[in-house]
């Protein structure tokens, strides 16, 4: 309370704050940070080449798998439905999300290029949270799509018309950009005047703010609250949708109808689990040791974007059919030449 009264007195009566002046003098005595050094993945000395090959394979598979889904959906008119429209959005997000940190991680492993500019670090923080939260919102929209399809099949095309789908997709991107802008602004408005060594393999909020010269209470509180609130709301909405879906499936008289309805949800439930699992561990357990948090973060950043297209391809006959059709057309085209 005394601190609050002191701050209000300084603000309204323009009384100079000795603590603030001392902090300003201290900051001026240091060189302002213009670049950061990423220490990389902890406890991997001597394994850089092996990790480089493994991560490169994962990254290339992510790009190839998601590009194949995009091409398959766009080339087959039978897949021009809301479910596959959102799946295309997910593929774009997976390509972008994996590209936020993976290329820099690969460069670090191959040539030990550990330096990242201030602008590059800001970009990593922004796009990591922008694309990550967009994906979180998109999974919620996809759950609503499955709810509308299974619980209201006769009105599905009216509920999820093209305009509604476009607005829902645009809203996920817009809200996520606002979310990421707030977090990034709060992170980098802090003064960075001391060490520039980030004890991690990419720039994220918590490893970076450890290096700030100012008070980090606000950004740490906002980050935990904001990220936790967004994730919790999305998770609860997805859970509510699937509770309604399960009730609707149990009421179906046809065993074939129940099987078909359930099969359309399995892929979505799988990728939701892969997404929310690592997020829950990283952002709800800040004291989690680096031995555990780093593999979880790597799994979320590099492995999950590769698994998403695999899950949707293996579990979905329509996507597999479109890919086979695409491959057949390619073979026929080459045979004609």
């Amino acid at each position: 309370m005394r601190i609050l009264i002191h701050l209000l007195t300084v603000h309204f009566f323009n009384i100079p704050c000795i603590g603030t002046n001392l902090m300003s003098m201290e900051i001026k005595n240091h060189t302002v940070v213009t670049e950061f050094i990423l220490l990389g993945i902890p406890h991997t000395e001597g394994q850089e080449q092996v990790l480089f090959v493994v991560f490169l394979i994962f990254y290339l598979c992510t790009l190839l798998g998601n590009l194949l889904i995009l091409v398959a959906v766009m080339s087959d008119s039978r897949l021009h439905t809301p479910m596959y429209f959102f799946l295309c959005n997910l593929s774009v997000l997976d390509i972008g999300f994996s590209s936020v940190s993976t290329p820099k991680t690969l460069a670090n492993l191959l040539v030990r290029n550990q330096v990242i500019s201030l602008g590059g670090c800001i970009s990593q923080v922004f796009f990591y949270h922008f694309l990550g939260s967009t994906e979180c919102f998109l999974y919620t929209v996809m759950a609503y799509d499955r709810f509308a399809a299974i619980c209201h099949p006769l009105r599905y095309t009216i509920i999820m018309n093209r305009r509604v789908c476009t607005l829902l997709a645009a809203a996920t991107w817009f809200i996520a950009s606002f979310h990421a802008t707030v977090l990034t602004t709060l992170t980098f408005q802090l003064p960075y005047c001391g060490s520039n060594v980030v004890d991690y393999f990419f720039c994220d909020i918590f490893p970076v703010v450890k290096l700030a010269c100012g008070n980090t209470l606000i950004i740490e509180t906002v980050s935990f609250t904001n990220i936790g609130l967004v994730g919790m709301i999305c998770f609860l909405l997805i859970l509510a949708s699937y509770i309604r879906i399960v009730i609707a499936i149990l009421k179906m008289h046809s065993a074939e109808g129940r099987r078909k309805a359930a099969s359309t949800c399995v892929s979505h439930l799988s990728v939701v689990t892969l997404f929310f699992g690592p997020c829950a561990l990283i952002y709800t357990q800040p004291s989690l040791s680096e031995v555990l948090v780093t593999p979880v973060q790597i799994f979320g950043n590099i492995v999950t974007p590769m698994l998403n297209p695999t899950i949707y391809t293996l579990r979905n006959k329509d996507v597999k059919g479109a890919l086979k059709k695409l491959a057949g057309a390619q073979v026929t085209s080459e045979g004609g030449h």
Side-chain angles (χ1 to χ4, degrees), residues 10 13 16 28 30 41 50 57 60 125 132 140 160-161 174 199 206-207 220 246 249 275 280 288:
V10 169
F13 297 101
K28 288 177 182 177
H30 291 82
I41 303 170
V50 175
I57 292 171
L60 293 177
V125 171
T140 309
M160 300 299 291
N161 59 62
F174 177 77
D199 190 14
F206 301 116
E220 289 176 350
V246 169
I249 290 175
F275 178 82
L288 200 66

PDB file of all heavy atoms in Angstrom, residues 10 13 16 28 30 41 50 57 60 125 132 140 160-161 174 199 206-207 220 246 249 275 280 288:
ATOM      1  N   VAL A  10       3.993  10.555  -6.747  1.00  0.00           N
ATOM      2  CA  VAL A  10       4.963  10.941  -7.780  1.00  0.00           C
ATOM      3  C   VAL A  10       4.258  11.330  -9.062  1.00  0.00           C
ATOM      4  O   VAL A  10       4.597  12.308  -9.730  1.00  0.00           O
ATOM      5  CB  VAL A  10       5.939   9.759  -8.043  1.00  0.00           C
ATOM      6  CG1 VAL A  10       6.771  10.026  -9.275  1.00  0.00           C
ATOM      7  CG2 VAL A  10       6.830   9.549  -6.829  1.00  0.00           C
ATOM      8  N   PHE A  13       1.805  14.716  -8.393  1.00  0.00           N
ATOM      9  CA  PHE A  13       2.432  15.937  -7.911  1.00  0.00           C
ATOM     10  C   PHE A  13       3.831  16.160  -8.479  1.00  0.00           C
ATOM     11  O   PHE A  13       4.539  17.058  -8.085  1.00  0.00           O
ATOM     12  CB  PHE A  13       2.504  15.904  -6.369  1.00  0.00           C
ATOM     13  CG  PHE A  13       1.151  15.873  -5.736  1.00  0.00           C
ATOM     14  CD1 PHE A  13       0.634  14.672  -5.256  1.00  0.00           C
ATOM     15  CD2 PHE A  13       0.378  17.015  -5.635  1.00  0.00           C
ATOM     16  CE1 PHE A  13      -0.612  14.631  -4.680  1.00  0.00           C
ATOM     17  CE2 PHE A  13      -0.875  16.965  -5.055  1.00  0.00           C
ATOM     18  CZ  PHE A  13      -1.388  15.778  -4.571  1.00  0.00           C
ATOM     19  N   PRO A  16       9.967  13.965  -8.010  1.00  0.00           N
ATOM     20  CA  PRO A  16      10.907  13.017  -8.628  1.00  0.00           C
ATOM     21  C   PRO A  16      11.056  11.758  -7.794  1.00  0.00           C
ATOM     22  O   PRO A  16      11.123  11.812  -6.567  1.00  0.00           O
ATOM     23  CB  PRO A  16      12.221  13.802  -8.686  1.00  0.00           C
ATOM     24  CG  PRO A  16      12.083  14.882  -7.664  1.00  0.00           C
ATOM     25  CD  PRO A  16      10.624  15.213  -7.594  1.00  0.00           C
ATOM     26  N   LYS A  28      21.707   3.688 -18.000  1.00  0.00           N
ATOM     27  CA  LYS A  28      22.580   4.469 -18.868  1.00  0.00           C
ATOM     28  C   LYS A  28      24.023   4.000 -18.766  1.00  0.00           C
ATOM     29  O   LYS A  28      24.823   4.195 -19.688  1.00  0.00           O
ATOM     30  CB  LYS A  28      22.478   5.953 -18.497  1.00  0.00           C
ATOM     31  CG  LYS A  28      21.153   6.589 -18.925  1.00  0.00           C
ATOM     32  CD  LYS A  28      21.071   8.034 -18.481  1.00  0.00           C
ATOM     33  CE  LYS A  28      19.720   8.642 -18.880  1.00  0.00           C
ATOM     34  NZ  LYS A  28      19.582  10.044 -18.401  1.00  0.00           N
ATOM     35  N   HIS A  30      24.976   1.014 -18.763  1.00  0.00           N
ATOM     36  CA  HIS A  30      25.128  -0.229 -19.494  1.00  0.00           C
ATOM     37  C   HIS A  30      24.882   0.016 -20.988  1.00  0.00           C
ATOM     38  O   HIS A  30      24.226   0.974 -21.364  1.00  0.00           O
ATOM     39  CB  HIS A  30      24.135  -1.294 -18.986  1.00  0.00           C
ATOM     40  CG  HIS A  30      24.436  -1.773 -17.602  1.00  0.00           C
ATOM     41  ND1 HIS A  30      24.049  -1.089 -16.484  1.00  0.00           N
ATOM     42  CD2 HIS A  30      25.088  -2.885 -17.164  1.00  0.00           C
ATOM     43  CE1 HIS A  30      24.431  -1.737 -15.399  1.00  0.00           C
ATOM     44  NE2 HIS A  30      25.061  -2.832 -15.784  1.00  0.00           N
ATOM     45  N   ILE A  41      19.920 -25.813 -27.380  1.00  0.00           N
ATOM     46  CA  ILE A  41      19.269 -26.858 -26.591  1.00  0.00           C
ATOM     47  C   ILE A  41      20.232 -27.322 -25.496  1.00  0.00           C
ATOM     48  O   ILE A  41      21.365 -27.711 -25.787  1.00  0.00           O
ATOM     49  CB  ILE A  41      18.875 -28.049 -27.486  1.00  0.00           C
ATOM     50  CG1 ILE A  41      17.968 -27.561 -28.625  1.00  0.00           C
ATOM     51  CG2 ILE A  41      18.173 -29.133 -26.684  1.00  0.00           C
ATOM     52  CD1 ILE A  41      17.725 -28.587 -29.697  1.00  0.00           C
ATOM     53  N   VAL A  50      23.676 -34.954 -35.244  1.00  0.00           N
ATOM     54  CA  VAL A  50      22.556 -35.902 -35.195  1.00  0.00           C
ATOM     55  C   VAL A  50      21.227 -35.156 -35.063  1.00  0.00           C
ATOM     56  O   VAL A  50      20.253 -35.444 -35.784  1.00  0.00           O
ATOM     57  CB  VAL A  50      22.729 -36.892 -34.022  1.00  0.00           C
ATOM     58  CG1 VAL A  50      21.496 -37.793 -33.895  1.00  0.00           C
ATOM     59  CG2 VAL A  50      23.981 -37.724 -34.214  1.00  0.00           C
ATOM     60  N   ILE A  57      14.781 -33.481 -41.016  1.00  0.00           N
ATOM     61  CA  ILE A  57      13.810 -34.449 -41.559  1.00  0.00           C
ATOM     62  C   ILE A  57      12.402 -34.104 -41.088  1.00  0.00           C
ATOM     63  O   ILE A  57      11.451 -34.091 -41.885  1.00  0.00           O
ATOM     64  CB  ILE A  57      14.195 -35.889 -41.143  1.00  0.00           C
ATOM     65  CG1 ILE A  57      15.486 -36.316 -41.845  1.00  0.00           C
ATOM     66  CG2 ILE A  57      13.069 -36.866 -41.472  1.00  0.00           C
ATOM     67  CD1 ILE A  57      16.057 -37.632 -41.335  1.00  0.00           C
ATOM     68  N   LEU A  60      11.214 -30.883 -42.958  1.00  0.00           N
ATOM     69  CA  LEU A  60      10.872 -31.138 -44.360  1.00  0.00           C
ATOM     70  C   LEU A  60       9.571 -31.946 -44.469  1.00  0.00           C
ATOM     71  O   LEU A  60       8.747 -31.696 -45.363  1.00  0.00           O
ATOM     72  CB  LEU A  60      12.014 -31.873 -45.062  1.00  0.00           C
ATOM     73  CG  LEU A  60      13.314 -31.074 -45.240  1.00  0.00           C
ATOM     74  CD1 LEU A  60      14.396 -31.942 -45.874  1.00  0.00           C
ATOM     75  CD2 LEU A  60      13.068 -29.829 -46.089  1.00  0.00           C
ATOM     76  N   VAL A 125       9.148 -13.983 -30.955  1.00  0.00           N
ATOM     77  CA  VAL A 125       8.157 -13.920 -29.875  1.00  0.00           C
ATOM     78  C   VAL A 125       6.772 -13.636 -30.442  1.00  0.00           C
ATOM     79  O   VAL A 125       5.789 -14.299 -30.077  1.00  0.00           O
ATOM     80  CB  VAL A 125       8.540 -12.839 -28.836  1.00  0.00           C
ATOM     81  CG1 VAL A 125       7.402 -12.618 -27.842  1.00  0.00           C
ATOM     82  CG2 VAL A 125       9.803 -13.248 -28.085  1.00  0.00           C
ATOM     83  N   GLY A 132       0.568 -19.592 -32.630  1.00  0.00           N
ATOM     84  CA  GLY A 132       0.147 -20.561 -31.619  1.00  0.00           C
ATOM     85  C   GLY A 132      -1.255 -20.303 -31.115  1.00  0.00           C
ATOM     86  O   GLY A 132      -2.070 -21.230 -30.999  1.00  0.00           O
ATOM     87  N   THR A 140     -10.816 -24.616 -31.645  1.00  0.00           N
ATOM     88  CA  THR A 140     -12.135 -24.361 -31.040  1.00  0.00           C
ATOM     89  C   THR A 140     -13.198 -24.236 -32.114  1.00  0.00           C
ATOM     90  O   THR A 140     -14.295 -24.796 -31.990  1.00  0.00           O
ATOM     91  CB  THR A 140     -12.082 -23.064 -30.206  1.00  0.00           C
ATOM     92  OG1 THR A 140     -10.967 -23.130 -29.310  1.00  0.00           O
ATOM     93  CG2 THR A 140     -13.351 -22.892 -29.400  1.00  0.00           C
ATOM     94  N   MET A 160     -23.101 -23.386 -41.053  1.00  0.00           N
ATOM     95  CA  MET A 160     -21.700 -23.215 -41.469  1.00  0.00           C
ATOM     96  C   MET A 160     -21.627 -22.866 -42.957  1.00  0.00           C
ATOM     97  O   MET A 160     -20.979 -23.545 -43.750  1.00  0.00           O
ATOM     98  CB  MET A 160     -20.908 -24.493 -41.167  1.00  0.00           C
ATOM     99  CG  MET A 160     -20.877 -24.893 -39.711  1.00  0.00           C
ATOM    100  SD  MET A 160     -20.118 -23.639 -38.644  1.00  0.00           S
ATOM    101  CE  MET A 160     -18.423 -23.736 -39.166  1.00  0.00           C
ATOM    102  N   ASN A 161     -22.302 -21.792 -43.322  1.00  0.00           N
ATOM    103  CA  ASN A 161     -22.209 -21.355 -44.718  1.00  0.00           C
ATOM    104  C   ASN A 161     -20.859 -20.689 -44.978  1.00  0.00           C
ATOM    105  O   ASN A 161     -20.076 -20.452 -44.053  1.00  0.00           O
ATOM    106  CB  ASN A 161     -23.372 -20.420 -45.077  1.00  0.00           C
ATOM    107  CG  ASN A 161     -23.399 -19.182 -44.197  1.00  0.00           C
ATOM    108  OD1 ASN A 161     -22.469 -18.389 -44.193  1.00  0.00           O
ATOM    109  ND2 ASN A 161     -24.486 -19.016 -43.432  1.00  0.00           N
ATOM    110  N   PHE A 174      -7.384 -12.539 -36.414  1.00  0.00           N
ATOM    111  CA  PHE A 174      -7.396 -11.167 -35.901  1.00  0.00           C
ATOM    112  C   PHE A 174      -7.221 -11.135 -34.382  1.00  0.00           C
ATOM    113  O   PHE A 174      -6.399 -10.371 -33.851  1.00  0.00           O
ATOM    114  CB  PHE A 174      -8.704 -10.479 -36.293  1.00  0.00           C
ATOM    115  CG  PHE A 174      -8.829  -9.074 -35.748  1.00  0.00           C
ATOM    116  CD1 PHE A 174      -8.141  -8.022 -36.327  1.00  0.00           C
ATOM    117  CD2 PHE A 174      -9.626  -8.812 -34.632  1.00  0.00           C
ATOM    118  CE1 PHE A 174      -8.233  -6.736 -35.810  1.00  0.00           C
ATOM    119  CE2 PHE A 174      -9.728  -7.538 -34.110  1.00  0.00           C
ATOM    120  CZ  PHE A 174      -9.030  -6.493 -34.705  1.00  0.00           C
ATOM    121  N   ASP A 199      19.171 -18.198 -22.408  1.00  0.00           N
ATOM    122  CA  ASP A 199      19.446 -19.592 -22.060  1.00  0.00           C
ATOM    123  C   ASP A 199      18.334 -20.498 -22.598  1.00  0.00           C
ATOM    124  O   ASP A 199      17.616 -21.171 -21.854  1.00  0.00           O
ATOM    125  CB  ASP A 199      19.562 -19.731 -20.537  1.00  0.00           C
ATOM    126  CG  ASP A 199      20.082 -21.109 -20.123  1.00  0.00           C
ATOM    127  OD1 ASP A 199      20.590 -21.835 -21.003  1.00  0.00           O
ATOM    128  OD2 ASP A 199      19.981 -21.449 -18.934  1.00  0.00           O
ATOM    129  N   PHE A 206       9.439 -15.890 -21.475  1.00  0.00           N
ATOM    130  CA  PHE A 206      10.050 -16.109 -20.163  1.00  0.00           C
ATOM    131  C   PHE A 206      11.575 -16.180 -20.194  1.00  0.00           C
ATOM    132  O   PHE A 206      12.230 -15.603 -19.318  1.00  0.00           O
ATOM    133  CB  PHE A 206       9.442 -17.343 -19.500  1.00  0.00           C
ATOM    134  CG  PHE A 206       7.954 -17.220 -19.317  1.00  0.00           C
ATOM    135  CD1 PHE A 206       7.074 -18.071 -19.961  1.00  0.00           C
ATOM    136  CD2 PHE A 206       7.427 -16.217 -18.524  1.00  0.00           C
ATOM    137  CE1 PHE A 206       5.701 -17.943 -19.800  1.00  0.00           C
ATOM    138  CE2 PHE A 206       6.059 -16.077 -18.357  1.00  0.00           C
ATOM    139  CZ  PHE A 206       5.191 -16.936 -19.001  1.00  0.00           C
ATOM    140  N   PRO A 207      12.202 -16.842 -21.171  1.00  0.00           N
ATOM    141  CA  PRO A 207      13.672 -16.788 -21.220  1.00  0.00           C
ATOM    142  C   PRO A 207      14.207 -15.382 -21.492  1.00  0.00           C
ATOM    143  O   PRO A 207      15.281 -15.025 -21.002  1.00  0.00           O
ATOM    144  CB  PRO A 207      14.022 -17.742 -22.376  1.00  0.00           C
ATOM    145  CG  PRO A 207      12.844 -18.628 -22.519  1.00  0.00           C
ATOM    146  CD  PRO A 207      11.662 -17.790 -22.161  1.00  0.00           C
ATOM    147  N   GLU A 220       5.142 -10.840 -16.683  1.00  0.00           N
ATOM    148  CA  GLU A 220       4.993 -12.222 -16.228  1.00  0.00           C
ATOM    149  C   GLU A 220       3.564 -12.508 -15.797  1.00  0.00           C
ATOM    150  O   GLU A 220       3.008 -13.564 -16.122  1.00  0.00           O
ATOM    151  CB  GLU A 220       5.971 -12.493 -15.080  1.00  0.00           C
ATOM    152  CG  GLU A 220       7.425 -12.563 -15.525  1.00  0.00           C
ATOM    153  CD  GLU A 220       8.376 -12.730 -14.361  1.00  0.00           C
ATOM    154  OE1 GLU A 220       7.926 -12.595 -13.205  1.00  0.00           O
ATOM    155  OE2 GLU A 220       9.572 -12.983 -14.596  1.00  0.00           O
ATOM    156  N   VAL A 246     -20.943 -36.256 -27.989  1.00  0.00           N
ATOM    157  CA  VAL A 246     -21.055 -37.619 -27.436  1.00  0.00           C
ATOM    158  C   VAL A 246     -22.513 -37.947 -27.123  1.00  0.00           C
ATOM    159  O   VAL A 246     -22.996 -39.055 -27.423  1.00  0.00           O
ATOM    160  CB  VAL A 246     -20.185 -37.754 -26.164  1.00  0.00           C
ATOM    161  CG1 VAL A 246     -20.504 -39.048 -25.430  1.00  0.00           C
ATOM    162  CG2 VAL A 246     -18.708 -37.701 -26.529  1.00  0.00           C
ATOM    163  N   ILE A 249     -24.257 -38.656 -30.384  1.00  0.00           N
ATOM    164  CA  ILE A 249     -23.857 -39.945 -30.963  1.00  0.00           C
ATOM    165  C   ILE A 249     -24.531 -41.093 -30.228  1.00  0.00           C
ATOM    166  O   ILE A 249     -25.003 -42.069 -30.853  1.00  0.00           O
ATOM    167  CB  ILE A 249     -22.320 -40.094 -30.926  1.00  0.00           C
ATOM    168  CG1 ILE A 249     -21.674 -39.129 -31.922  1.00  0.00           C
ATOM    169  CG2 ILE A 249     -21.911 -41.531 -31.249  1.00  0.00           C
ATOM    170  CD1 ILE A 249     -20.158 -39.111 -31.865  1.00  0.00           C
ATOM    171  N   PHE A 275      -1.755 -30.632 -29.103  1.00  0.00           N
ATOM    172  CA  PHE A 275      -1.527 -29.193 -28.963  1.00  0.00           C
ATOM    173  C   PHE A 275      -1.610 -28.753 -27.504  1.00  0.00           C
ATOM    174  O   PHE A 275      -0.721 -28.071 -26.995  1.00  0.00           O
ATOM    175  CB  PHE A 275      -2.544 -28.418 -29.794  1.00  0.00           C
ATOM    176  CG  PHE A 275      -2.410 -26.919 -29.677  1.00  0.00           C
ATOM    177  CD1 PHE A 275      -1.485 -26.228 -30.427  1.00  0.00           C
ATOM    178  CD2 PHE A 275      -3.212 -26.195 -28.798  1.00  0.00           C
ATOM    179  CE1 PHE A 275      -1.349 -24.853 -30.320  1.00  0.00           C
ATOM    180  CE2 PHE A 275      -3.093 -24.821 -28.676  1.00  0.00           C
ATOM    181  CZ  PHE A 275      -2.155 -24.151 -29.443  1.00  0.00           C
ATOM    182  N   ALA A 280      -0.056 -26.975 -21.793  1.00  0.00           N
ATOM    183  CA  ALA A 280      -0.422 -27.055 -20.377  1.00  0.00           C
ATOM    184  C   ALA A 280       0.819 -27.252 -19.506  1.00  0.00           C
ATOM    185  O   ALA A 280       0.961 -26.645 -18.432  1.00  0.00           O
ATOM    186  CB  ALA A 280      -1.407 -28.194 -20.155  1.00  0.00           C
ATOM    187  N   LEU A 288       8.859 -26.001 -13.949  1.00  0.00           N
ATOM    188  CA  LEU A 288       9.240 -27.279 -14.552  1.00  0.00           C
ATOM    189  C   LEU A 288      10.712 -27.224 -14.962  1.00  0.00           C
ATOM    190  O   LEU A 288      11.157 -26.266 -15.585  1.00  0.00           O
ATOM    191  CB  LEU A 288       8.367 -27.558 -15.777  1.00  0.00           C
ATOM    192  CG  LEU A 288       8.270 -29.000 -16.279  1.00  0.00           C
ATOM    193  CD1 LEU A 288       7.577 -29.879 -15.257  1.00  0.00           C
ATOM    194  CD2 LEU A 288       7.527 -29.054 -17.600  1.00  0.00           C
TER     195      LEU A 288
END
